[in-house]
Each structure stands twice: as structure tokens, then as C-alpha cells.
């Protein structure tokens, strides 16, 4: 539809011919200076938060169990170095509901060298010298000259010992269940509680259960950590294989783009098909296995994830998911077959560009190194912040007391009014906290740590995008390639980006970080309100999460194209974002038809690499192949290294293929600029090659001057 005379075009004026324009502008100035200064100040503040956290935090609080005095069991270089286990005086008191509220058993806890291995009461041990010597290992100091009654009233010893086993550095009764369902401890169904009562072993179950609620997650984490220590070198080998396959694939794309894309498509279909076949065989093989027909709903959550692989419904779910993915890919290939041919030609053109800028293939390693530093700094700071609380002691008692659960000081508690009013009360370590100004604002510091993590990570990603965009733009706008290109396009573009456009990079990444932190807050609110929210609140939260997810994707798209325009013209972020958006809107059909189809093909490449490495990792770590049975490490959860390898492989493949994706996006945006600036005549020739002209122009519109366009493109290509 023609624009009315005098009316401003909806998406801005097209670019006009400028004979002085020769690609990325070198004489440029600093952009978005205010945001650059703000970013530097925030980084300095981030360093200050890290120093403060490191001075106040103590990671030992999450590594070692803590006794009733707030001391760390098993810490090297302390008197408790040889006592790594935590012993509960009366595990049955852990059955109190307060355990789940305060995450602490209302009983004395002390560090011991090993857990008790036999039944023994204090009354019985006191009459036997050898038994009492053994019993003292589980008592406090100062027993000399005291009677049994005095020892118990002073809380110096437990009333009884039960056979126990270490579990996540804590001593828990060695409970067992006989075939008839009878609970036993140390092969006995009854025990003496040390107070003259004979009790059933099942009375210990509630205490053990509540005590382990707090540390059950830690148990899983510790097992996962152990798996990593056993398999880290195999994980590294898997990631190296993924890197080599990715690099080989990229190099082959450079010379055999058309063949490699079709090989990739066929192999993706075959890999998914093999996955469906393997899952079907597992599903059929479990038909005769007892208990395999249990539903996932009835099974519930299990910390041992291998249990799910013995359920037929799990494999059925895998079959359905893979079948849907297979069908969707095949349908897309059928309906987009013509556009795929065009996209393959576009990838060939991108391969030529990468051939002139080969150092771009290794730039993702630099980005990965920077992101590793950002992630490591955030993780270490988060750990130190979360462990910078002070030990809090509270009053625990067995009888009614007005001071129950109040904060106390163990140093002077024996002479305090609290002890006088509640003689049987004890001042025990409860948890880590604090009432100082620092501790009050600790949650704010954690929030600042998360926000700066997003900002820095997005900044590093943005720097990579702008650097690659500047390098590939210098290739496109070089009339004679490679003579008109800089000697080192990547280093030249990186220098310009850091020197002139740190503010623009910070501005774009700040906008994205704000949206991401809002999404994190929405997830946090949803988690906190779980179980208490009504349907209206659920619907509202779901809508907000969906809207901000879409907004994040849109901002990423805008930022990516804005960085390309900044790399070319050197303007500020807002102007570049507007120019890029309007340019894309003026070429909307080409964007939908070509750019996204190319992204789809590159995604299939990532999927292929992840699939190949993932299948290899599955057969290796699961021990399904006899050749690897003696080589594979013994693990608690073999899915831990498999998932690590799969996720790592995707990130590696994404890093290499992101170079191609950025190259395609940059060439596409430069092509749109070229069309508006030039007309293909001798006076205003196109910078695009003849092949790129055929791909993007003749396939998406009816050219009005096909012959002159083609002739001039051929001339340009010949001269280049």
C-alpha cells in the first residue's frame, strides 16, 4: 500500500545512499556514558559486597555439623578434628513438632569419634569400669565424683545408648524392619530407655524421621557431590568429545554446508527414532517385572531417581515425548522444504564470512571463560553471605517454662534468672542468625548479588554479540574481500566495543536483567504462596510469569539486533534499537521466511550433538554396555554425570553455533541496509555477493530490475 504524500512512513525512512559509508564506522564516540558510569559503580559495590561477605561468612557452617555449643565437628586444626560425627543424647526428643519449625532437636548434641555400637544404660555402665570408660566417649567432661542422679540432672550424659550408624555425619539408631514388619534396633525389638522403662524400637522411628527431614536434602547433595568426585574426569572427557564434534561440524559446514545440513537433518531424525526404539524395548522388557506397573503418582518423589527407570510409565512418557518431537520436526521439514533450501544457501554464505574471520570460531571460549568467572564469583559470594550469620542459642526444656525457646547465652546461662526459674532447662545451639544491621540487610545483599550476577552475565553475552557483529559487518561491507577488511576483525571489533560502547552494552543488559530478576521474584512468590493461594491468585501469577517470559524473549531479540547496529554505526543503544526494529519491520517477510528457518536448522545441529554425546554418556555411565562395565565408575546416581554431560554439551554446541547464528543475523541486517542504500547500478553497486543476492532478493520478492541487479552482483563478486 502506497504511503500518502507528505505522510511519515510507519516504520521510519529507509536508508539513503551515502557514498562515504564503507561499513563499521571507525570515527565514533562513547555512547550511553551515564549507564557506563552506573555499571562501574555497581561493579565496585559488588566487589565491596564480596569482600564484606568473605570477611563475615564461614563456609564451615554448611560443611560440618554443629554441636550444642556451636562448635564444628571434625574441623581440621581443632580439638574436635578426631570427632567428625554428631551424637544426639535423646533422639526420641527429635519427634517434637518444633524440629520442623526450628530445624533443631531439643536435646544435647555433641561431637564424637564414632557412633555407639551397643545397647547400654548409664545406670548399668556406672557399675562396670570398662563399660563406664566406653560410656564416657558420649558424655561431657566433669563426671568425676558424681552419682548417676547428679550426672543425669546436670545433663552430662545420655540416659542410654542405642546401636547407631553414621548418616550424613550424624549418629542415628540402626533401625531395621523384619519380614513381618516389626521394627528393630540392633536386632532387638525393645530397649531400656535408661529411666527404668522398656520401650519398643518403633518409638525411635518418629525421632529419626523428624531429625532426617532437615538433612535429607543434604544427603542427596552429598551423594551427588561424591558422584562428581568419582566421575569428573569422565565428564570432562565427554565435554571434550562434545567440543571436538562441534568444532568438526563447524569446519565441515565451512566447506560442505549443503551436504552437512542434510546429513544433520537425517541424523537428528535417526537419533530420535533410535531413542523411541530403545524406550519401547525398555517398556516391553519391564512388562514381566514385579512392581513395574506402579504409576508415577503413586510412587511419589524418590531421592534415588534410578527407581523411576524401573517403572513402565516412565518409559511410556519418554516414548510419547520423543514421538511428538519426531513428528513436529518431520512436519516442519515437509512444509518448510523450499525455505530450508534457501536457508542452506544462507548458511553457505555465512560459512564464507567465517572463512575470512576464522578466529570467530574460538571467541566463544573467551566468552565461556568470562562467564565462568562471573558464575564462580556469584556462587562463592552467595555461600559466604548465607553463612555469615551468628550462632543463636535458645532455651530448651522438658517441663512448662515461660522462657521456652527464648534466646540465651550459654556462657552465663547456669547463673541466669532463666535457669533459676526453669531448673531443667538448657541453653542449646538452635540455628544461625543475627540481629545486627548487617544481618537485617542480609537478604538485600543476597538480592544485590543475584541482580549483579544477571547484569554481569548478560553484559558478557552482549559483549560477545557486539564483537562478532562488528567482525562480520566488516566482512560484508568490504567491497574487495579481504583487502578492505581489518587485519584482525575480532580484536578490532572487541576493542571498539569496550572502548566506545561499554555504556550501551550495560544499558541493554540492565533492561534484560531487570526483567529476569522480576521473573525470579515471581517464582519466589509462587513458591512461598504454594498451598495457600486460591485459583484467582494462581491464574494471575501464571499470567504474569507468561507475560514476563515473552517480554524477556522480545528484549533479547531487540538487544541482539541493537548491538549489530551499534557495532556498525556507533550510535547509542536506544537509537540503534529503534533503527534495527524499524529496519526489520520494513523487511518483515524476509525475517519470518529466512532468518527463523536458519535458526531452526542451527538448533537441529545443537540437538544432534547433544543427542550423540548423550546416548554415548547413557550407555557408558549406566553400564548397559558390557565393554564399559569395568571402566565406568560406581555411582549413587548415574544420571548425575549424564545430565551434566548433556547440559554441558548443549552449552558447548550453543557456543559454537552461536557464531553462525550471529553471522547470519548480521549478514541479514546488512543485506537489508544494502538494499535500501544501493540499487545495484554501476554508480551504486550492491555490497552483497551474487549468491546472497539470489538467496535473499529473488526468492522473497519479484525483482523489478533483475538483469542489472544480477550483472552488478556478479561484478561485485568477481572483484571481491
Amino acid at each position: 500500500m502506497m504511503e500518502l504524500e507528505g505522510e511519515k512512513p510507519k516504520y521510519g525512512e529507509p536508508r539513503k545512499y551515502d557514498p562515504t559509508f564503507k561499513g563499521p564506522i571507525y570515527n565514533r564516540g562513547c555512547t550511553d556514558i551515564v549507564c557506563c558510569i552506573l555499571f562501574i559503580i555497581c561493579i565496585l559495590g559488588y566487589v565491596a559486597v564480596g569482600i564484606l561477605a568473605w570477611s563475615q561468612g564461614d563456609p564451615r557452617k554448611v560443611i560440618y555439623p554443629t554441636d550444642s555449643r556451636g562448635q564444628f565437628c571434625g574441623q581440621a586444626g581443632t580439638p574436635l578434628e578426631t570427632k567428625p560425627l554428631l551424637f544426639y543424647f535423646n533422639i526420641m526428643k527429635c519427634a517434637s513438632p518444633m524440629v520442623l519449625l526450628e530445624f533443631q532437636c531439643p536435646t544435647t548434641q555433641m561431637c564424637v569419634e564414632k557412633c555407639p555400637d551397643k545397647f547400654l544404660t548409664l545406670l548399668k555402665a556406672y557399675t562396670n569400669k570398662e563399660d563406664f570408660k566406653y560410656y564416657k566417649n558420649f558424655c561431657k567432661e566433669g563426671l568425676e565424683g558424681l552419682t548417676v542422679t547428679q550426672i543425669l540432672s546436670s545433663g552430662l550424659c545420655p540416659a542410654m545408648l542405642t546401636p547407631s550408624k553414621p548418616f550424613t555425619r550424624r549418629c542415628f539408631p540402626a533401625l531395621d524392619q523384619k519380614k513381618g514388619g516389626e521394627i528393630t534396633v540392633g536386632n532387638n525389638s525393645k530397649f531400656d530407655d535408661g529411666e527404668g522403662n522398656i520401650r519398643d524400637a518403633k518409638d525411635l522411628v518418629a525421632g529419626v524421621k523428624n531429625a532426617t527431614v532437615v538433612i535429607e536434602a543434604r544427603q542427596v547433595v552429598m551423594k551427588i557431590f561424591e558422584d562428581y568426585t568419582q566421575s569428573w574426569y569422565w565428564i570432562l572427557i565427554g565435554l571434550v568429545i562434545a567440543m571436538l564434534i562441534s568444532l568438526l561440524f563447524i569446519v565441515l559446514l565451512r566447506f560442505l554446508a549443503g551436504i552437512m545440513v542434510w546429513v544433520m537433518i537425517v541424523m537428528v531424525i535417526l537419533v530420535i527414532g533410535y531413542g523411541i526404539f530403545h524406550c519401547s524395548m525398555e517398556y516391553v522388557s519391564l512388562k514381566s517385572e514385579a512392581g513395574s506397573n506402579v504409576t508415577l503418582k503413586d510412587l511419589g518423589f524418590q531421592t534415588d531417581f534410578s527407581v523411576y527407570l524401573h517403572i513402565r510409565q516412565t518409559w511410556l512418557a519418554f516414548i510419547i515425548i520423543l514421538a511428538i518431537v519426531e513428528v513436529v520436526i518431520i512436519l516442519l521439514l515437509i512444509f518448510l522444504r523450499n525455505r530450508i533450501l534457501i536457508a542452506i544457501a544462507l548458511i553457505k554464505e555465512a560459512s564464507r564470512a567465517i572463512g575470512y574471520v576464522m578466529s570467530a570460531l574460538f571467541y566463544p571460549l573467551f566468552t565461556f571463560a568470562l562467564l565462568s568467572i562471573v558464575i564462580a564469583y556469584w556462587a562463592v559470594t552467595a555461600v559466604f553471605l548465607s553463612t555469615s550469620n551468628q550462632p543463636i542459642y535458645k532455651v530448651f526444656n522438658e517441663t512448662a517454662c515461660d522462657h521456652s525457646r527464648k534466646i540465651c547465652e550459654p556462657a552465663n546461662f547456669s547463673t541466669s534468672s532463666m535457669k533459676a526459674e526453669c531448673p531443667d532447662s538448657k541453653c542449646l545451639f538452635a540455628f544461625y542468625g543475627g540481629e545486627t544491621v548487617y544481618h537485617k540487610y542480609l537478604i538485600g545483599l543476597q538480592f544485590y548479588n543475584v541482580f549483579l550476577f544477571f547484569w554481569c552475565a548478560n553484559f558478557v553475552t552482549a559483549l560477545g554479540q557486539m564483537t562478532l557483529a562488528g567482525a562480520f559487518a566488516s566482512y560484508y561491507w568490504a567491497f574487495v574481500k579481504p583487502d578492505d577488511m581489518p587485519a584482525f576483525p575480532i580484536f578490532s571489533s572487541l576493542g571498539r566495543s569496550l572502548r566506545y560502547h561499554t555504556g550501551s552494552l550495560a544499558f541493554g543488559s540492565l533492561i534484560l536483567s531487570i526483567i529476569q530478576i522480576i521473573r525470579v521474584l515471581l517464582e519466589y512468590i509462587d513458591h512461598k504462596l504454594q498451598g495457600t493461594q486460591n485459583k484467582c491468585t494462581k491464574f494471575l501469577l501464571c499470567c504474569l510469569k507468561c507475560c514476563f517470559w515473552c517480554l524477556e524473549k522480545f528484549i533479547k531479540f531487540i538487544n541482539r539486533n541493537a548491538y549489530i547496529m551499534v557495532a556498525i554505526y556507533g550510535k547509542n543503544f536506544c537509537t540503534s534499537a529503534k533503527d534495527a526494529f524499524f529496519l526489520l519491520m520494513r523487511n518483515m517477510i524476509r525475517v519470518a521466511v529466512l532468518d527463523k528457518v536458519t535458526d531452526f536448522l542451527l538448533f537441529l545441529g545443537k540437538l544432534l550433538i547433544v543427542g550423540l554425546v548423550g546416548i554415548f554418556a547413557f550407555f557408558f555411565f549406566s553400564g548397559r554396555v558390557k565393554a564399559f562395565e569395568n571402566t565406568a565408575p560406581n555411582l549413587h546416581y548415574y544420571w548425575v554425570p549424564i545430565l551434566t554431560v548433556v547440559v554441558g554439551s548443549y552449552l558447548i554446541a550453543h557456543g559454537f553455533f552461536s557464531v553462525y547464528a550471529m553471522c547470519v543475523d548480521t549478514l541479514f541486517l546488512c543485506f537489508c541496509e544494502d538494499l535500501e542504500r544501493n540499487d545495484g547500478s554501476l554508480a551504486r553497486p550492491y555490497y552483497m555477493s551474487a549468491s546472497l543476492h539470489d538467496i535473499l532478493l529473488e526468492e522473497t520478492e519479484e525483482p523489478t530490475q533483475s538483469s542489472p541487479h544480477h550483472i552488478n552482483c556478479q561484478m561485485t563478486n568477481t572483484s571481491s
Side-chain angles (χ1 to χ4, degrees):
M1 185 176 178
M2 297 291 293
E3 297 284 348
L4 296 175
E5 189 175 347
E7 184 180 347
K8 191 175 180 180
K10 186 176 180 180
Y11 296 114
E13 293 283 352
R15 296 279 184 186
K16 294 182 180 179
Y17 175 69
D18 181 5
T20 63
F21 180 75
K22 302 294 182 183
I25 296 171
Y26 291 92
N27 296 323
R28 56 179 73 195
C30 296
T31 56
D32 299 299
I33 298 174
V34 174
C35 201
C36 177
I37 295 171
L38 177 63
F39 182 63
I40 293 172
I41 293 172
C42 288
I43 289 295
L44 293 176
Y46 197 22
V47 173
V49 169
I51 294 172
L52 182 63
W54 298 336
S55 64
Q56 298 288 328
D58 190 352
R60 295 175 302 174
K61 295 172 184 177
V62 295
I63 298 173
Y64 304 105
T66 309
D67 68 6
S68 297
R69 297 178 182 178
Q71 302 175 109
F72 302 117
C73 299
Q75 182 189 350
T78 66
L80 298 178
E81 182 177 3
T82 58
K83 298 180 177 181
L85 305 174
L86 188 68
F87 171 72
Y88 296 87
F89 270 29
N90 190 350
I91 192 68
M92 288 184 289
K93 289 185 179 179
C94 295
S96 167
M98 295 304 295
V99 175
L100 300 178
L101 297 176
E102 299 187 355
F103 298 99
Q104 184 69 11
C105 281
T107 185
T108 303
Q109 301 164 40
M110 66 177 293
C111 302
V112 296
E113 186 175 346
K114 60 181 181 179
C115 298
D117 56 7
K118 59 184 176 180
F119 281 111
L120 200 59
T121 63
L122 178 60
L123 188 63
K124 182 180 178 182
Y126 194 78
T127 60
N128 185 293
K129 187 176 180 180
E130 289 298 322
D131 286 345
F132 193 55
K133 183 180 179 182
Y134 173 80
Y135 209 95
K136 284 182 179 179
N137 293 320
F138 308 97
C139 296
K140 298 179 182 178
E141 297 176 353
L143 301 180
E144 289 75 12
L146 298 180
T147 63
V148 173
T149 305
Q150 290 172 328
I151 292 173
L152 290 176
S153 62
S154 302
L156 298 177
C157 285
M160 63 167 182
L161 298 178
T162 58
S164 304
K165 292 181 179 179
F167 177 69
T168 62
R169 296 193 178 188
R170 290 160 174 82
C171 295
F172 289 111
L175 297 174
D176 198 5
Q177 188 174 17
K178 292 184 177 180
K179 289 185 178 179
E182 185 181 25
I183 303 296
T184 62
V185 56
N187 295 322
N188 295 316
S189 59
K190 297 184 182 297
F191 65 95
D192 188 341
D193 66 358
E195 298 177 359
N197 302 315
I198 304 299
R199 306 185 63 166
D200 291 330
K202 64 182 180 182
D203 294 340
L204 294 168
V205 174
V208 173
K209 184 177 180 182
N210 273 359
T212 55
V213 164
V214 181
I215 60 171
E216 203 169 67
R218 180 178 289 185
Q219 175 209 7
V220 176
V221 172
M222 291 300 293
K223 285 186 176 181
I224 290 174
F225 180 76
E226 288 176 12
D227 286 345
Y228 277 126
T229 60
Q230 294 290 326
S231 61
W232 65 269
Y233 46 91
W234 292 112
I235 292 174
L236 284 180
I237 291 173
L239 296 179
V240 169
I241 291 172
M243 186 179 69
L244 293 176
I245 294 175
S246 300
L247 187 60
L248 177 64
F249 204 91
I250 293 295
V251 172
L252 290 175
L253 269 179
R254 165 69 183 90
F255 301 102
L256 304 168
I259 297 173
M260 286 303 299
V261 169
W262 284 113
V263 168
M264 173 187 70
I265 292 172
V266 173
M267 287 191 69
V268 167
I269 294 173
L270 290 176
V271 167
I272 297 175
Y274 175 77
I276 295 172
F277 171 76
H278 179 75
C279 292
S280 301
M281 294 299 292
E282 291 286 347
Y283 179 78
V284 173
S285 65
L286 288 172
K287 187 175 182 180
S288 58
E289 190 173 314
S292 62
N293 290 317
V294 176
T295 63
L296 294 173
K297 184 178 180 181
D298 294 336
L299 185 63
F301 177 75
Q302 301 290 327
T303 55
D304 185 1
F305 290 95
S306 62
V307 172
Y308 295 106
L309 298 181
H310 296 282
I311 305 301
R312 297 185 77 202
Q313 200 174 79
T314 303
W315 295 103
L316 181 62
F318 289 156
I319 293 170
I320 293 171
I321 293 170
L322 290 174
I324 291 172
V325 172
E326 182 92 322
V327 170
V328 168
I329 291 176
I330 291 173
L331 289 176
L332 285 173
L333 292 174
I334 292 172
F335 289 107
L336 297 175
R337 59 188 182 279
N338 292 329
R339 300 307 174 192
I340 287 174
L341 294 174
I342 303 170
I344 289 172
L346 187 58
I347 291 175
K348 286 181 180 179
E349 188 64 28
S351 297
R352 292 194 192 95
I354 291 174
Y356 285 104
V357 193
M358 285 298 289
S359 56
L361 290 176
F362 301 96
Y363 187 84
L365 299 177
F366 177 67
T367 301
F368 177 76
L370 291 180
L371 283 176
S372 298
I373 294 172
V374 171
I375 294 170
Y377 186 87
W378 162 77
V380 171
T381 304
V383 169
F384 275 86
L385 282 174
S386 62
T387 58
S388 58
N389 289 312
Q390 298 171 343
I392 300 298
Y393 299 87
K394 287 193 175 185
V395 176
F396 291 94
N397 60 291
E398 296 182 7
T399 58
C401 176
D402 294 336
H403 301 292
S404 179
R405 303 304 187 269
K406 287 185 179 179
I407 295 175
C408 60
E409 288 294 333
N412 58 6
F413 181 73
S414 58
T415 59
S416 66
S417 58
M418 293 182 182
K419 182 67 174 178
E421 294 177 22
C422 307
D424 65 338
S425 63
K426 299 173 185 176
C427 185
L428 304 178
F429 168 78
F431 55 84
Y432 289 103
E435 298 295 331
T436 64
V437 175
Y438 170 75
H439 293 101
K440 286 181 180 178
Y441 291 99
L442 196 56
I443 185 67
L445 295 177
Q446 285 282 25
F447 178 82
Y448 186 78
N449 182 35
V450 174
F451 179 72
L452 261 293
F453 164 70
F454 280 127
W455 197 357
C456 293
N458 289 325
F459 179 88
V460 170
T461 304
L463 177 63
Q465 291 175 344
M466 187 179 289
T467 300
L468 292 173
F472 292 129
S474 65
Y475 159 82
Y476 185 94
W477 296 107
F479 199 76
V480 179
K481 302 175 179 60
D483 296 345
D484 293 345
M485 292 174 61
F488 302 100
I490 286 289
F491 294 106
S492 176
S493 180
L494 178 61
R496 286 198 305 270
S497 300
L498 287 174
R499 181 179 178 183
Y500 298 110
H501 307 303
T502 299
S504 297
L505 293 169
F507 191 12
S509 53
L510 174 62
I511 296 171
L512 184 58
S513 300
I514 291 172
I515 295 169
Q516 289 174 334
I517 205 70
I518 291 173
R519 289 191 65 200
V520 170
L521 289 174
L522 287 173
E523 291 292 342
Y524 177 77
I525 293 170
D526 188 27
H527 176 71
K528 283 295 182 182
L529 296 178
Q530 212 161 28
T532 60
Q533 53 189 318
N534 54 35
K535 291 184 178 180
C536 181
T537 310
K538 277 185 178 181
F539 176 75
L540 181 61
L541 276 173
C542 187
C543 289
L544 285 172
K545 288 194 288 185
C546 180
C547 289
F548 277 97
W549 179 83
C550 294
L551 182 59
E552 182 184 350
K553 295 298 180 185
F554 177 73
I555 292 298
K556 283 183 177 180
F557 174 77
I558 291 295
N559 283 6
R560 187 181 182 89
N561 290 285
Y563 296 144
I564 296 174
M565 298 302 278
V566 172
I568 296 173
Y569 294 104
K571 296 181 180 179
N572 63 51
F573 178 81
C574 290
T575 302
S576 299
K578 183 193 72 173
D579 291 345
F581 181 73
F582 283 171
L583 181 62
L584 291 171
M585 292 304 292
R586 292 195 297 268
N587 295 271
M588 193 184 305
I589 296 176
R590 293 190 181 99
V591 173
V593 169
L594 300 176
D595 197 37
K596 296 301 124 188
V597 176
T598 308
D599 288 344
F600 170 69
L601 290 180
L602 294 177
F603 173 74
L604 288 184
K606 300 176 197 174
L607 206 62
L608 174 62
I609 292 169
V610 171
L612 291 174
V613 178
I615 289 174
F616 172 77
F618 173 77
F619 283 113
F620 179 80
F621 288 110
S622 65
R624 300 295 178 96
V625 179
K626 290 185 178 181
F628 299 140
E629 278 183 344
N630 298 325
T631 308
N634 294 320
L635 305 170
H636 296 290
Y637 311 123
Y638 66 78
W639 52 264
V640 170
I642 294 174
L643 281 181
T644 306
V645 169
V646 167
V647 173
S649 299
Y650 179 81
L651 294 176
I652 290 170
H654 177 74
F656 281 101
F657 279 89
S658 65
V659 175
Y660 258 89
M662 201 67 209
C663 182
V664 169
D665 289 347
T666 304
L667 293 180
F668 183 77
L669 219 58
C670 291
F671 163 80
C672 295
E673 286 273 309
D674 197 7
L675 278 183
E676 293 184 352
R677 287 180 174 277
N678 305 303
D679 58 8
S681 63
L682 289 173
R684 296 164 57 187
Y686 286 134
Y687 280 80
M688 70 185 82
S689 64
S691 58
L692 192 61
H693 171 274
D694 295 338
I695 298 164
L696 296 178
L697 188 66
E698 295 180 0
E699 294 290 348
T700 54
E701 64 177 23
E702 290 288 338
T704 54
Q705 299 176 343
S706 58
S707 297
H709 285 251
H710 186 70
I711 292 170
N712 283 288
C713 287
Q714 290 285 11
M715 290 174 64
T716 303
N717 191 45
T718 303
S719 63
S720 64

